[in-house]
Amino acid sequence: MSTRTAKWAHRPGVRQVGPAIAGFAAVAIAAYGPILVEMGRDWGRDDNYSHGFLVPFVAAFFLWQQRQRLAELAPRPAWSGLLLLLLGLAGWVVGEIGAEQFVKRLSFLVVLGGGIGFLAGWRWLKAVAFPYGYLLFMVPLPYILYDAVAFPLKLVAARVATTVVANLGISIYAEGNVIYLESTTLQVADACSGIRSLMSLLALAAAFAHLTQRPGWRRWFLFLAAVPIAVATNMARIIGTAVLADRYGAKVAMGFFHEFAGVAVFGAALVLLFVAGVVLGRIGHRREGVA
């Protein structure tokens, strides 16, 4: 252990509640073990949530960044944290009775937050608010909420793609999420709705904004910019697929190009997100220079 790390570990705040919080977290993880394992399996089964494997590590990184602040923050245990902990346990009971995985998984985070508040106080929980809140990205959405987002996205994507392709002189029309060309038919499935790239991009945007932007509107703007970026780049993928399908047939359009386009589109979304971050950063520096 380095001298700097040793000094940090012996600060009053860490020495008083650090072991207690670590022990509580270990007990909570063990108690929720089956639920967390099943959630991990969902990450592996469903590409929409494959980013979940990275979320705990990203959250741990941001938590480590707060180590000096936590070391200097005197713990003030709050009994009200126990109420939040009990609320989380009640959520687990409700989820168990209703066989609702989302509620049980969410209750794990509520229990963690309640434990931190109870052992160290609300100021500690506020200090770790971002890494704590970032863990939400690892929880898969319930299907009813997922479908409520994916279905409108499919309809909008099909409609916009049809309009753009029609303006290119190609005979095309859409009914719902199905696109009809002269020689073939394309269906905008969930994977093509944009929600997959949207969910991963939101998780990346949150981390990127936190690292590169100062607290305030620029962080939120960059985070929310992930939504139109993900939707627009995915629409470009559908447009390209429709054009290829019209000229070369569905077999060509839905083969290698379709898979490659998915990777390329996500890469383009990352580039656009990076550009947005750079622009926002320059705006911030310019305003600070004027001030």
Side-chain angles (χ1 to χ4, degrees), residues 85-110:
L85 191 155
L86 293 175
L87 179 64
L89 292 176
W92 176 83
V93 173
V94 171
E96 186 69 21
I97 294 174
E100 177 51 64
Q101 292 295 324
F102 176 73
V103 175
K104 289 193 288 185
R105 293 165 179 175
L106 204 60
S107 75
F108 170 71
L109 299 183
V110 177

PDB file of all heavy atoms in Angstrom, residues 85-110:
ATOM      1  N   LEU A  85     -33.913   1.492   3.929  1.00  0.00           N
ATOM      2  CA  LEU A  85     -33.496   0.096   3.839  1.00  0.00           C
ATOM      3  C   LEU A  85     -34.708  -0.831   3.952  1.00  0.00           C
ATOM      4  O   LEU A  85     -34.853  -1.792   3.181  1.00  0.00           O
ATOM      5  CB  LEU A  85     -32.484  -0.203   4.944  1.00  0.00           C
ATOM      6  CG  LEU A  85     -31.715  -1.529   4.884  1.00  0.00           C
ATOM      7  CD1 LEU A  85     -30.392  -1.396   5.635  1.00  0.00           C
ATOM      8  CD2 LEU A  85     -32.520  -2.678   5.495  1.00  0.00           C
ATOM      9  N   LEU A  86     -35.569  -0.541   4.915  1.00  0.00           N
ATOM     10  CA  LEU A  86     -36.776  -1.359   5.092  1.00  0.00           C
ATOM     11  C   LEU A  86     -37.707  -1.241   3.890  1.00  0.00           C
ATOM     12  O   LEU A  86     -38.369  -2.214   3.506  1.00  0.00           O
ATOM     13  CB  LEU A  86     -37.506  -0.935   6.371  1.00  0.00           C
ATOM     14  CG  LEU A  86     -36.764  -1.229   7.683  1.00  0.00           C
ATOM     15  CD1 LEU A  86     -37.535  -0.648   8.868  1.00  0.00           C
ATOM     16  CD2 LEU A  86     -36.557  -2.732   7.862  1.00  0.00           C
ATOM     17  N   LEU A  87     -37.739  -0.049   3.285  1.00  0.00           N
ATOM     18  CA  LEU A  87     -38.546   0.134   2.078  1.00  0.00           C
ATOM     19  C   LEU A  87     -38.016  -0.752   0.953  1.00  0.00           C
ATOM     20  O   LEU A  87     -38.791  -1.354   0.198  1.00  0.00           O
ATOM     21  CB  LEU A  87     -38.519   1.604   1.653  1.00  0.00           C
ATOM     22  CG  LEU A  87     -39.303   1.956   0.381  1.00  0.00           C
ATOM     23  CD1 LEU A  87     -40.790   1.690   0.583  1.00  0.00           C
ATOM     24  CD2 LEU A  87     -39.074   3.420   0.003  1.00  0.00           C
ATOM     25  N   GLY A  88     -36.690  -0.832   0.855  1.00  0.00           N
ATOM     26  CA  GLY A  88     -36.096  -1.699  -0.152  1.00  0.00           C
ATOM     27  C   GLY A  88     -36.434  -3.159   0.085  1.00  0.00           C
ATOM     28  O   GLY A  88     -36.751  -3.899  -0.855  1.00  0.00           O
ATOM     29  N   LEU A  89     -36.379  -3.584   1.337  1.00  0.00           N
ATOM     30  CA  LEU A  89     -36.730  -4.967   1.661  1.00  0.00           C
ATOM     31  C   LEU A  89     -38.208  -5.238   1.371  1.00  0.00           C
ATOM     32  O   LEU A  89     -38.568  -6.329   0.912  1.00  0.00           O
ATOM     33  CB  LEU A  89     -36.420  -5.253   3.130  1.00  0.00           C
ATOM     34  CG  LEU A  89     -34.929  -5.257   3.505  1.00  0.00           C
ATOM     35  CD1 LEU A  89     -34.755  -5.462   5.003  1.00  0.00           C
ATOM     36  CD2 LEU A  89     -34.173  -6.335   2.724  1.00  0.00           C
ATOM     37  N   ALA A  90     -39.039  -4.231   1.628  1.00  0.00           N
ATOM     38  CA  ALA A  90     -40.464  -4.378   1.305  1.00  0.00           C
ATOM     39  C   ALA A  90     -40.653  -4.530  -0.202  1.00  0.00           C
ATOM     40  O   ALA A  90     -41.502  -5.302  -0.667  1.00  0.00           O
ATOM     41  CB  ALA A  90     -41.244  -3.168   1.819  1.00  0.00           C
ATOM     42  N   GLY A  91     -39.834  -3.798  -0.965  1.00  0.00           N
ATOM     43  CA  GLY A  91     -39.886  -3.933  -2.418  1.00  0.00           C
ATOM     44  C   GLY A  91     -39.512  -5.335  -2.862  1.00  0.00           C
ATOM     45  O   GLY A  91     -40.106  -5.882  -3.794  1.00  0.00           O
ATOM     46  N   TRP A  92     -38.534  -5.914  -2.172  1.00  0.00           N
ATOM     47  CA  TRP A  92     -38.152  -7.293  -2.494  1.00  0.00           C
ATOM     48  C   TRP A  92     -39.318  -8.248  -2.235  1.00  0.00           C
ATOM     49  O   TRP A  92     -39.589  -9.145  -3.040  1.00  0.00           O
ATOM     50  CB  TRP A  92     -36.948  -7.712  -1.659  1.00  0.00           C
ATOM     51  CG  TRP A  92     -36.575  -9.149  -1.867  1.00  0.00           C
ATOM     52  CD1 TRP A  92     -35.809  -9.662  -2.868  1.00  0.00           C
ATOM     53  CD2 TRP A  92     -36.988 -10.261  -1.064  1.00  0.00           C
ATOM     54  NE1 TRP A  92     -35.707 -11.033  -2.747  1.00  0.00           N
ATOM     55  CE2 TRP A  92     -36.430 -11.425  -1.643  1.00  0.00           C
ATOM     56  CE3 TRP A  92     -37.776 -10.386   0.088  1.00  0.00           C
ATOM     57  CZ2 TRP A  92     -36.631 -12.693  -1.114  1.00  0.00           C
ATOM     58  CZ3 TRP A  92     -37.980 -11.652   0.614  1.00  0.00           C
ATOM     59  CH2 TRP A  92     -37.411 -12.785   0.018  1.00  0.00           C
ATOM     60  N   VAL A  93     -40.014  -8.048  -1.115  1.00  0.00           N
ATOM     61  CA  VAL A  93     -41.156  -8.909  -0.778  1.00  0.00           C
ATOM     62  C   VAL A  93     -42.244  -8.776  -1.840  1.00  0.00           C
ATOM     63  O   VAL A  93     -42.807  -9.775  -2.311  1.00  0.00           O
ATOM     64  CB  VAL A  93     -41.716  -8.548   0.615  1.00  0.00           C
ATOM     65  CG1 VAL A  93     -43.008  -9.315   0.882  1.00  0.00           C
ATOM     66  CG2 VAL A  93     -40.688  -8.853   1.697  1.00  0.00           C
ATOM     67  N   VAL A  94     -42.538  -7.528  -2.231  1.00  0.00           N
ATOM     68  CA  VAL A  94     -43.561  -7.292  -3.256  1.00  0.00           C
ATOM     69  C   VAL A  94     -43.150  -7.947  -4.573  1.00  0.00           C
ATOM     70  O   VAL A  94     -43.965  -8.590  -5.253  1.00  0.00           O
ATOM     71  CB  VAL A  94     -43.786  -5.780  -3.455  1.00  0.00           C
ATOM     72  CG1 VAL A  94     -44.682  -5.521  -4.668  1.00  0.00           C
ATOM     73  CG2 VAL A  94     -44.404  -5.165  -2.204  1.00  0.00           C
ATOM     74  N   GLY A  95     -41.879  -7.784  -4.936  1.00  0.00           N
ATOM     75  CA  GLY A  95     -41.400  -8.390  -6.170  1.00  0.00           C
ATOM     76  C   GLY A  95     -41.442  -9.903  -6.127  1.00  0.00           C
ATOM     77  O   GLY A  95     -41.732 -10.556  -7.131  1.00  0.00           O
ATOM     78  N   GLU A  96     -41.163 -10.471  -4.958  1.00  0.00           N
ATOM     79  CA  GLU A  96     -41.201 -11.925  -4.804  1.00  0.00           C
ATOM     80  C   GLU A  96     -42.628 -12.440  -4.923  1.00  0.00           C
ATOM     81  O   GLU A  96     -42.886 -13.451  -5.591  1.00  0.00           O
ATOM     82  CB  GLU A  96     -40.616 -12.309  -3.440  1.00  0.00           C
ATOM     83  CG  GLU A  96     -40.462 -13.798  -3.212  1.00  0.00           C
ATOM     84  CD  GLU A  96     -39.382 -14.420  -4.069  1.00  0.00           C
ATOM     85  OE1 GLU A  96     -38.491 -13.696  -4.552  1.00  0.00           O
ATOM     86  OE2 GLU A  96     -39.446 -15.651  -4.264  1.00  0.00           O
ATOM     87  N   ILE A  97     -43.559 -11.732  -4.296  1.00  0.00           N
ATOM     88  CA  ILE A  97     -44.961 -12.152  -4.356  1.00  0.00           C
ATOM     89  C   ILE A  97     -45.504 -12.027  -5.778  1.00  0.00           C
ATOM     90  O   ILE A  97     -46.223 -12.899  -6.272  1.00  0.00           O
ATOM     91  CB  ILE A  97     -45.817 -11.310  -3.382  1.00  0.00           C
ATOM     92  CG1 ILE A  97     -45.411 -11.613  -1.931  1.00  0.00           C
ATOM     93  CG2 ILE A  97     -47.302 -11.589  -3.584  1.00  0.00           C
ATOM     94  CD1 ILE A  97     -46.091 -10.730  -0.910  1.00  0.00           C
ATOM     95  N   GLY A  98     -45.146 -10.924  -6.438  1.00  0.00           N
ATOM     96  CA  GLY A  98     -45.650 -10.692  -7.788  1.00  0.00           C
ATOM     97  C   GLY A  98     -44.781 -11.279  -8.878  1.00  0.00           C
ATOM     98  O   GLY A  98     -45.082 -11.099 -10.065  1.00  0.00           O
ATOM     99  N   ALA A  99     -43.705 -11.978  -8.497  1.00  0.00           N
ATOM    100  CA  ALA A  99     -42.775 -12.572  -9.471  1.00  0.00           C
ATOM    101  C   ALA A  99     -42.278 -11.518 -10.459  1.00  0.00           C
ATOM    102  O   ALA A  99     -42.185 -11.762 -11.656  1.00  0.00           O
ATOM    103  CB  ALA A  99     -43.439 -13.733 -10.209  1.00  0.00           C
ATOM    104  N   GLU A 100     -41.976 -10.335  -9.936  1.00  0.00           N
ATOM    105  CA  GLU A 100     -41.514  -9.222 -10.767  1.00  0.00           C
ATOM    106  C   GLU A 100     -40.024  -9.002 -10.521  1.00  0.00           C
ATOM    107  O   GLU A 100     -39.621  -8.470  -9.485  1.00  0.00           O
ATOM    108  CB  GLU A 100     -42.312  -7.956 -10.437  1.00  0.00           C
ATOM    109  CG  GLU A 100     -41.873  -6.719 -11.196  1.00  0.00           C
ATOM    110  CD  GLU A 100     -41.775  -6.941 -12.687  1.00  0.00           C
ATOM    111  OE1 GLU A 100     -42.813  -7.216 -13.320  1.00  0.00           O
ATOM    112  OE2 GLU A 100     -40.648  -6.864 -13.211  1.00  0.00           O
ATOM    113  N   GLN A 101     -39.210  -9.418 -11.480  1.00  0.00           N
ATOM    114  CA  GLN A 101     -37.760  -9.337 -11.326  1.00  0.00           C
ATOM    115  C   GLN A 101     -37.271  -7.893 -11.231  1.00  0.00           C
ATOM    116  O   GLN A 101     -36.342  -7.592 -10.479  1.00  0.00           O
ATOM    117  CB  GLN A 101     -37.071 -10.039 -12.504  1.00  0.00           C
ATOM    118  CG  GLN A 101     -37.265 -11.540 -12.534  1.00  0.00           C
ATOM    119  CD  GLN A 101     -36.616 -12.220 -11.345  1.00  0.00           C
ATOM    120  OE1 GLN A 101     -35.554 -11.825 -10.876  1.00  0.00           O
ATOM    121  NE2 GLN A 101     -37.270 -13.253 -10.835  1.00  0.00           N
ATOM    122  N   PHE A 102     -37.883  -7.005 -11.988  1.00  0.00           N
ATOM    123  CA  PHE A 102     -37.437  -5.612 -11.998  1.00  0.00           C
ATOM    124  C   PHE A 102     -37.547  -4.994 -10.609  1.00  0.00           C
ATOM    125  O   PHE A 102     -36.634  -4.299 -10.150  1.00  0.00           O
ATOM    126  CB  PHE A 102     -38.269  -4.810 -13.000  1.00  0.00           C
ATOM    127  CG  PHE A 102     -37.938  -3.341 -13.015  1.00  0.00           C
ATOM    128  CD1 PHE A 102     -36.759  -2.887 -13.581  1.00  0.00           C
ATOM    129  CD2 PHE A 102     -38.805  -2.410 -12.455  1.00  0.00           C
ATOM    130  CE1 PHE A 102     -36.447  -1.534 -13.599  1.00  0.00           C
ATOM    131  CE2 PHE A 102     -38.503  -1.062 -12.464  1.00  0.00           C
ATOM    132  CZ  PHE A 102     -37.322  -0.621 -13.039  1.00  0.00           C
ATOM    133  N   VAL A 103     -38.644  -5.248  -9.921  1.00  0.00           N
ATOM    134  CA  VAL A 103     -38.852  -4.686  -8.586  1.00  0.00           C
ATOM    135  C   VAL A 103     -37.828  -5.248  -7.608  1.00  0.00           C
ATOM    136  O   VAL A 103     -37.261  -4.515  -6.789  1.00  0.00           O
ATOM    137  CB  VAL A 103     -40.289  -4.974  -8.095  1.00  0.00           C
ATOM    138  CG1 VAL A 103     -40.469  -4.502  -6.650  1.00  0.00           C
ATOM    139  CG2 VAL A 103     -41.300  -4.286  -9.000  1.00  0.00           C
ATOM    140  N   LYS A 104     -37.557  -6.542  -7.697  1.00  0.00           N
ATOM    141  CA  LYS A 104     -36.577  -7.150  -6.798  1.00  0.00           C
ATOM    142  C   LYS A 104     -35.176  -6.609  -7.060  1.00  0.00           C
ATOM    143  O   LYS A 104     -34.411  -6.351  -6.123  1.00  0.00           O
ATOM    144  CB  LYS A 104     -36.600  -8.678  -6.956  1.00  0.00           C
ATOM    145  CG  LYS A 104     -37.853  -9.323  -6.394  1.00  0.00           C
ATOM    146  CD  LYS A 104     -37.726 -10.826  -6.282  1.00  0.00           C
ATOM    147  CE  LYS A 104     -37.759 -11.497  -7.632  1.00  0.00           C
ATOM    148  NZ  LYS A 104     -37.751 -12.979  -7.501  1.00  0.00           N
ATOM    149  N   ARG A 105     -34.836  -6.434  -8.314  1.00  0.00           N
ATOM    150  CA  ARG A 105     -33.509  -5.912  -8.653  1.00  0.00           C
ATOM    151  C   ARG A 105     -33.370  -4.460  -8.213  1.00  0.00           C
ATOM    152  O   ARG A 105     -32.319  -4.053  -7.717  1.00  0.00           O
ATOM    153  CB  ARG A 105     -33.280  -6.047 -10.159  1.00  0.00           C
ATOM    154  CG  ARG A 105     -33.174  -7.492 -10.613  1.00  0.00           C
ATOM    155  CD  ARG A 105     -33.309  -7.640 -12.114  1.00  0.00           C
ATOM    156  NE  ARG A 105     -33.186  -9.032 -12.520  1.00  0.00           N
ATOM    157  CZ  ARG A 105     -33.359  -9.465 -13.759  1.00  0.00           C
ATOM    158  NH1 ARG A 105     -33.669  -8.607 -14.722  1.00  0.00           N
ATOM    159  NH2 ARG A 105     -33.226 -10.745 -14.047  1.00  0.00           N
ATOM    160  N   LEU A 106     -34.424  -3.701  -8.402  1.00  0.00           N
ATOM    161  CA  LEU A 106     -34.393  -2.303  -7.983  1.00  0.00           C
ATOM    162  C   LEU A 106     -34.313  -2.196  -6.464  1.00  0.00           C
ATOM    163  O   LEU A 106     -33.674  -1.282  -5.926  1.00  0.00           O
ATOM    164  CB  LEU A 106     -35.642  -1.587  -8.505  1.00  0.00           C
ATOM    165  CG  LEU A 106     -35.551  -0.066  -8.672  1.00  0.00           C
ATOM    166  CD1 LEU A 106     -34.450   0.294  -9.663  1.00  0.00           C
ATOM    167  CD2 LEU A 106     -36.884   0.491  -9.140  1.00  0.00           C
ATOM    168  N   SER A 107     -34.938  -3.129  -5.772  1.00  0.00           N
ATOM    169  CA  SER A 107     -34.913  -3.096  -4.311  1.00  0.00           C
ATOM    170  C   SER A 107     -33.496  -3.269  -3.778  1.00  0.00           C
ATOM    171  O   SER A 107     -33.164  -2.766  -2.700  1.00  0.00           O
ATOM    172  CB  SER A 107     -35.832  -4.182  -3.742  1.00  0.00           C
ATOM    173  OG  SER A 107     -35.257  -5.475  -3.869  1.00  0.00           O
ATOM    174  N   PHE A 108     -32.654  -3.972  -4.525  1.00  0.00           N
ATOM    175  CA  PHE A 108     -31.256  -4.134  -4.113  1.00  0.00           C
ATOM    176  C   PHE A 108     -30.570  -2.777  -4.012  1.00  0.00           C
ATOM    177  O   PHE A 108     -29.842  -2.501  -3.041  1.00  0.00           O
ATOM    178  CB  PHE A 108     -30.524  -5.032  -5.114  1.00  0.00           C
ATOM    179  CG  PHE A 108     -29.034  -5.066  -4.925  1.00  0.00           C
ATOM    180  CD1 PHE A 108     -28.472  -5.706  -3.830  1.00  0.00           C
ATOM    181  CD2 PHE A 108     -28.191  -4.460  -5.846  1.00  0.00           C
ATOM    182  CE1 PHE A 108     -27.094  -5.733  -3.652  1.00  0.00           C
ATOM    183  CE2 PHE A 108     -26.818  -4.485  -5.676  1.00  0.00           C
ATOM    184  CZ  PHE A 108     -26.261  -5.122  -4.574  1.00  0.00           C
ATOM    185  N   LEU A 109     -30.799  -1.916  -4.991  1.00  0.00           N
ATOM    186  CA  LEU A 109     -30.184  -0.590  -4.972  1.00  0.00           C
ATOM    187  C   LEU A 109     -30.765   0.269  -3.854  1.00  0.00           C
ATOM    188  O   LEU A 109     -30.045   1.049  -3.221  1.00  0.00           O
ATOM    189  CB  LEU A 109     -30.391   0.097  -6.326  1.00  0.00           C
ATOM    190  CG  LEU A 109     -29.777  -0.612  -7.535  1.00  0.00           C
ATOM    191  CD1 LEU A 109     -30.000   0.208  -8.802  1.00  0.00           C
ATOM    192  CD2 LEU A 109     -28.291  -0.860  -7.322  1.00  0.00           C
ATOM    193  N   VAL A 110     -32.060   0.119  -3.604  1.00  0.00           N
ATOM    194  CA  VAL A 110     -32.686   0.878  -2.516  1.00  0.00           C
ATOM    195  C   VAL A 110     -32.102   0.445  -1.172  1.00  0.00           C
ATOM    196  O   VAL A 110     -31.813   1.278  -0.301  1.00  0.00           O
ATOM    197  CB  VAL A 110     -34.215   0.686  -2.533  1.00  0.00           C
ATOM    198  CG1 VAL A 110     -34.860   1.420  -1.355  1.00  0.00           C
ATOM    199  CG2 VAL A 110     -34.801   1.195  -3.843  1.00  0.00           C
TER     200      VAL A 110
END
